[in-house]
Amino acid sequence: MTAHHGATTPPLPGTLPPETVLLAPTVPAAVPMRPPSGVWGLVVVAVRTTDAAGAPVRFTGDAPAPDPAHTDTADLFAGVWLPEPPPATLHAGDLVVRLHTSTTDPALTDVEVLAAMQGEWRTVGTWEAVDPRWPHEVAMTVLVHMRYLADAAFQDAQWVMLTGPIAAAMPGWLSRGLGLAGESAASPPRRAPDGLAELLEAGLLAEGDHVALGEHVATVRAGGILQHGPDEFAVSAVNALATHLCDFTANSWHLWRRAHDNRPLADLRTELARR
């Protein structure tokens, strides 16, 4: 399926990769009910809901408010097809949508949403026998889980930044006992579990490298964290920082690019998984 662009409130120009499939806003006929051949799932790279997504149902006189099941609650929903299940350990924080032929009506689809959490792909939501409006039905679940995982990674990144100097000044046995360092005395401080540390160790990124998202530039720091701006302690994780900079909730592995050669971090992560 080709990419569909033209949202009524589009992201910044050039933010989404060219292989992006736009599921909302778009006409129902453009929404896939089955994955393309040879595809495992759709990793969500951008989601944004409308005010209607969280608004309570109100009744005016005898006329009920519009049925939420028929209300477009996703202002933006976009993803990239994945050919096979990637290792969950490297993809922490990713959410994937899988489409299956409905067991009750072949014209409809069963939707499964999985999240890469604690080293495995876990099902976080299922919807049975849904029509082409399924992106609106799953958008809020996807957004909530993406925000939760991004916030957790952000807190870990802050912890790594704040405890690094403390761990370096402590005896190895004490810093390890407090969970501030690795398994050996020579180990660096605890890493942020967002995948950048693995890219650093593999030599696919170097400390001090710049990554870019549109006009925004961040610096890769020790432990796999990103620094944005002049403040030494203004650090974040990959998804949390992009979500802060964009006007939507982002899986920014497909958005951030290594500045010196414009390669997406997602490509570097895939290269590491194939080694």
Side-chain angles (χ1 to χ4, degrees), residues 7 9-11 16 22 24-25 46-49 73-78 139 247-248:
T9 51
L16 298 181
L22 187 65
V47 61
R48 180 176 58 208
T49 57
T73 56
D75 179 55
L76 174 65
F77 197 105
D247 63 347
F248 54 85

Side-chain angles (χ1 to χ4, degrees), residues 160-227:
V160 168
M161 182 64 186
L162 294 173
T163 60
I166 299 173
M170 286 182 176
W173 63 268
L174 180 56
S175 60
R176 290 193 303 275
L178 294 174
L180 304 181
E183 295 300 320
S184 67
S187 296
R190 197 178 74 174
R191 305 176 306 175
D194 56 12
L196 281 187
E198 285 83 353
L199 295 181
L200 284 169
E201 293 171 358
L204 294 171
L205 283 175
E207 187 177 346
D209 274 354
H210 292 152
V211 295
L213 195 168
E215 297 179 351
H216 300 286
V217 178
T219 304
V220 179
R221 300 285 301 273
I225 59 180
L226 289 178
Q227 178 183 349

Side-chain angles (χ1 to χ4, degrees), residues 127-146:
W127 294 258
E128 296 182 355
V130 291
D131 61 20
R133 292 196 63 266
W134 66 259
H136 300 286
E137 296 197 32
V138 309
M140 183 56 71
T141 294
V142 169
L143 184 145
V144 167
H145 281 84
M146 286 179 68

